[in-house]
Amino acid sequence: MSNSKLIHTFFILLIFSSIIGQENQNEYNFVPIDDGFTQSAITSILKDNEGFTWIGTNSDGLFKYNSIDFKSYKQELNSKKASLNSSIVYSTFQDSQDNIWVGTELGLNRYNKELDKFENIKLLKDQKKLPRQVELAEKYF
């Protein structure tokens, strides 16, 4: 066999082996709606700096999506643990310090990453000085 035929045969084998050896790189996992996600209207969507997607709704609170599953945050009445002050979410925002802020029908909430809970920021109409968290939030809204 001549060198040119050997080279052609080598390249043909190389091409076929690369075609056969390729895998489908575009595989997607879809989450059906009945797998714990809301069926109410979505009011806000935020993708944070860590890659989480935050989805606010008009009655089911807030969902954090990590590309695999959803975690739900909503108002928990009669609970001693921190929760959103309302399950009706109007807006979500991430400031320059990577704080996640959530505006609901009852006010402002800030996500505590270490505790994986929301802190309600109290806003009083007759208060002369706003809490420090609100002063910080006003800079970014």
Side-chain angles (χ1 to χ4, degrees):
M1 197 185 253
S2 71
N3 278 345
S4 65
K5 285 185 181 181
L6 187 60
I7 291 172
H8 288 320
T9 305
F10 173 75
F11 281 115
I12 290 173
L13 288 173
L14 183 65
I15 290 170
F16 281 119
S17 67
S18 66
I19 291 172
I20 293 171
Q22 286 184 354
E23 293 182 26
N24 185 1
Q25 298 289 329
N26 296 325
E27 292 183 19
Y28 299 99
N29 292 323
F30 294 97
V31 177
I33 285 184
D34 58 352
D35 277 359
F37 189 65
T38 183
Q39 294 186 18
S40 64
I42 293 174
T43 57
S44 67
I45 298 176
L46 167 73
K47 184 160 188 177
D48 71 18
N49 293 337
E50 293 182 16
F52 295 110
T53 301
W54 298 85
I55 303 167
T57 69
N58 71 348
S59 63
D60 285 333
L62 186 71
F63 291 86
K64 182 168 84 169
Y65 181 60
N66 65 5
S67 299
I68 297 172
D69 53 23
F70 293 93
K71 178 162 186 179
S72 174
Y73 301 89
K74 55 177 68 175
Q75 181 183 33
E76 296 180 23
L77 296 173
N78 302 323
S79 174
K80 295 191 188 246
K81 63 182 190 173
S83 70
L84 288 174
N85 60 3
S86 171
S87 291
I88 299 175
V89 175
Y90 291 142
S91 62
T92 52
F93 179 77
Q94 183 171 31
D95 66 24
S96 62
Q97 281 85 38
D98 294 335
N99 291 307
I100 302 291
W101 297 89
V102 178
T104 70
E105 70 171 338
L106 296 177
L108 187 62
N109 299 267
R110 185 176 60 147
Y111 180 63
N112 184 322
K113 212 180 296 186
E114 289 78 32
L115 299 176
D116 191 31
K117 298 185 185 320
F118 280 90
E119 301 168 350
N120 186 321
I121 307 301
K122 302 283 186 204
L123 301 174
L124 302 175
K125 291 181 182 178
D126 60 348
Q127 191 173 5
K128 293 187 171 134
K129 184 156 174 72
L130 294 173
R132 178 77 178 130
Q133 294 96 335
V134 175
E135 290 175 9
L136 291 172
E138 285 179 337
K139 290 182 185 179
Y140 305 107
F141 285 106

